[in-house]
């Protein structure tokens, strides 16, 4: 690959495929909408397994903790959920999205075989 | 995400074929939209399929205009293969990299394709047709020939015209290009192939310096990628 590719991203889906082969239970969080100065673009992904291991990112790190909790819930109950983080949201301040941006994150479980 | 849809998504990625995952935000049903088909349990309106394909072309994931779906574009990486490690390539390579292309420069003349002249750029000293066959250009690949030397440019074009490359362009005057088409015609290529061939490469923006010529080529490549032909002045 080119050493000078500013858009090069981690291969989250490839890693998820490996996790699936290992039989792990997985949820994936995807940034679906952003406003303001959110650090990760739409389409960015974070994958989480049932032990809490994670790959990728949906922010500069400020909302990951909350996303991981919801993702592990989603692995348990199978329900997808939409998470909103932002300065307009009281709870978002609690998780510390202090960079001033807002993001909408969709969390879904990857089904097994 | 259903296991079979995940597997289908990975198969498209493996095949380096653009695809979009469409998710209904309420309920989570999903479908894949590829260049020529759809699959999956989510029922898609024609309008949504068209929007998904437009987003694939523009490499722009996002919530659909109906507000009810998320369209996640999974495109193969953009690539640009430049034949000829010449002075215009020295400008074109870093500009294309900034525009998101992974750049490979092909030139069998070892004194041209050096790390000193092209820091951080992938270089190949294979003969252009062999290099292109190995690189397997796909629908997200642009190919630009810049050597002015038929011995190097022509074999590259023979492979390029048989590939899915979205943009194929050759530097050289109108006269040079006319002679190039004659040679390719003798090799069995037709007007239909030539419709994909942009020569002389680049938009007519009065470019003179190598950097300006690189801009004109990159601009034309961008227009072709987004289906913005015929070109209009920006509003």
């Amino acid at each position: 690959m080119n050493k000078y590719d500013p858009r090069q991203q981690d291969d989250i889906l490839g890693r998820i495929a490996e996790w699936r082969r290992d039989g792990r239970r997985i949820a994936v969080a995807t940034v679906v909408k952003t406003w303001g100065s959110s650090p990760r673009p739409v389409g960015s992904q974070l994958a989480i397994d049932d032990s809490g291991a994670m790959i990728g990112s949906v922010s500069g790190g400020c909302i990951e903790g909350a996303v991981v909790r919801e993702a592990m819930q989603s692995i348990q109950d199978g329900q997808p959920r939409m998470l909103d983080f932002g300065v307009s949201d009281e709870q978002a301040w609690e998780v510390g999205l202090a960079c001033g941006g807002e993001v909408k994150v969709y969390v879904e479980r990857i089904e097994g075989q | 995400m259903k296991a079979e849809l995940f597997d289908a998504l990975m198969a498209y990625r493996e095949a380096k074929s653009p695809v979009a995952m469409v998710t209904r935000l309420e309920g989570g049903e999903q479908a894949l939209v590829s260049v020529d088909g759809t699959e999956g349990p989510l029922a898609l309106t024609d309008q949504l399929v068209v929007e998904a394909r437009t987003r694939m072309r523009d490499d722009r994931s996002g919530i659909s205009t109906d507000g009810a779906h998320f369209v996640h574009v999974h495109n193969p990486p953009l690539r640009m293969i430049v034949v000829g490690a010449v002075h215009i390539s020295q400008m074109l390579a870093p500009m294309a990299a900034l525009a998101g292309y992974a750049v490979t420069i092909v030139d069998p003349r070892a004194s041209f394709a050096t790390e000193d002249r092209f820091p951080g750029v992938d270089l190949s000293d294979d003969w252009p047709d062999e290099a292109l066959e190995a690189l397997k250009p796909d629908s997200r690949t642009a190919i630009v020939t810049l050597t002015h030397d038929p011995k190097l440019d022509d074999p590259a074009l023979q492979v390029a015209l048989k590939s899915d490359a979205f943009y194929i362009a050759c530097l050289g005057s109108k006269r040079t290009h006319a002679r190039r088409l004659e040679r390719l015609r003798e090799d069995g290529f037709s007007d239909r192939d030539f419709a994909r061939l942009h020569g002389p490469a680049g938009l007519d923006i009065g470019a003179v310096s190598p950097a300006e010529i690189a801009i004109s080529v990159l601009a034309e490549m961008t227009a072709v990628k987004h289906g913005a032909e015929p070109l209009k002045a920006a509003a």
Side-chain angles (χ1 to χ4, degrees):
Chain A
M1 284 305 289
N2 197 317
K3 289 158 237 160
Y4 195 55
D5 179 358
R7 294 195 328 170
Q8 197 155 15
Q9 283 200 356
D10 298 334
D11 179 20
I12 307 294
L13 290 177
R15 301 282 302 279
I16 291 174
E18 286 171 23
W19 277 6
R20 285 184 71 217
R21 283 193 287 274
D22 294 342
R24 304 200 205 182
R25 301 166 73 204
I26 308 153
V28 59
T30 306
V31 176
V32 298
K33 200 167 167 118
T34 66
W35 301 261
S37 62
S38 49
R40 299 283 288 145
V42 168
S44 301
Q45 290 188 310
L46 170 70
I48 300 102
D49 80 354
D50 52 354
S51 75
M54 51 194 261
I55 41 177
S57 67
V58 288
S59 79
C62 40
I63 62 171
E64 258 72 6
V67 172
V68 166
R69 276 197 301 278
E70 292 289 335
M72 291 180 78
Q73 279 300 315
S74 195
I75 290 173
Q76 296 304 324
D77 63 24
Q79 295 302 311
R81 56 250 287 151
M82 185 73 83
L83 314 177
D84 287 288
F85 300 98
V87 290
S88 61
D89 181 344
E90 296 281 311
Q91 286 184 317
W93 273 114
E94 286 167 26
V95 300
L97 195 70
C99 45
E102 296 181 43
V103 292
K104 214 182 235 304
V105 176
Y106 184 76
V107 178
E108 62 184 318
R109 183 170 74 175
I110 307 283
E111 303 294 334
Q113 292 306 321
Chain B
M1 189 183 298
K2 301 261 184 251
E4 49 272 26
L5 266 196
F6 181 84
D7 292 338
L9 173 61
M10 294 306 284
Y12 279 108
R13 279 166 46 100
E14 191 72 24
K16 294 202 184 311
S17 184
V19 68
M21 176 71 79
V22 181
T23 303
R24 198 162 78 91
L25 297 175
E26 199 70 44
E29 297 92 346
Q30 289 171 316
L32 287 171
V33 175
S34 61
V35 175
D36 49 17
T38 65
E39 61 191 279
L42 173 66
L44 296 162
T45 61
D46 290 347
Q47 194 191 343
L48 199 50
V49 172
V50 168
E51 180 177 347
R53 293 207 175 112
T54 304
R55 285 181 172 279
M56 286 156 67
R57 191 191 67 201
D58 296 343
D59 205 5
R60 200 164 51 88
S61 299
I63 291 175
S64 58
T65 45
D66 65 14
H69 301 84
F70 177 62
V71 182
H72 196 176
V73 175
H74 295 273
N75 276 334
L78 276 174
R79 289 188 293 159
M80 184 179 74
I81 304 170
V82 179
V83 178
V86 297
H87 57 317
I88 294 171
S89 323
Q90 286 178 290
M91 298 292 146
L92 185 55
M95 287 185 194
L98 286 172
Y101 292 81
V103 180
T104 305
I105 293 180
V106 178
D107 202 319
R109 302 167 297 183
S111 59
F112 284 67
T114 64
E115 173 72 24
D116 275 355
R117 299 180 72 220
F118 295 94
V121 178
D122 284 348
L123 301 170
S124 164
D125 59 4
D126 289 341
W127 207 254
D129 51 349
E130 289 168 12
L132 257 74
E133 270 160 17
L135 289 165
K136 296 187 176 43
D138 57 40
S139 64
R140 298 266 294 166
T141 306
I143 300 168
V144 184
T145 71
L146 298 175
T147 70
H148 289 97
D149 183 348
K151 196 162 81 264
L152 294 170
D153 283 356
D154 285 12
L157 292 174
Q158 303 232 358
V159 180
L161 286 171
K162 288 175 193 153
S163 78
D164 287 336
F166 76 88
Y167 178 74
I168 308 170
C170 331
L171 204 68
S173 67
K174 287 203 173 84
R175 240 182 56 209
T176 310
H177 191 63
R179 282 204 298 270
R180 178 183 294 129
L181 296 188
E182 276 171 35
R183 290 192 304 274
L184 287 168
R185 204 181 291 280
E186 280 167 21
D187 291 328
F189 291 96
S190 68
D191 288 340
R192 242 182 70 196
D193 300 307
F194 300 155
R196 298 175 59 205
L197 202 54
H198 297 264
L203 297 183
D204 187 5
I205 55 171
V208 176
S209 70
E212 290 173 346
I213 292 167
I215 288 169
S216 99
V217 171
L218 199 51
E220 185 176 53
M221 194 184 294
T222 307
V224 172
K225 175 156 77 77
H226 294 292
E229 293 178 300
L231 292 163
K232 292 186 286 256

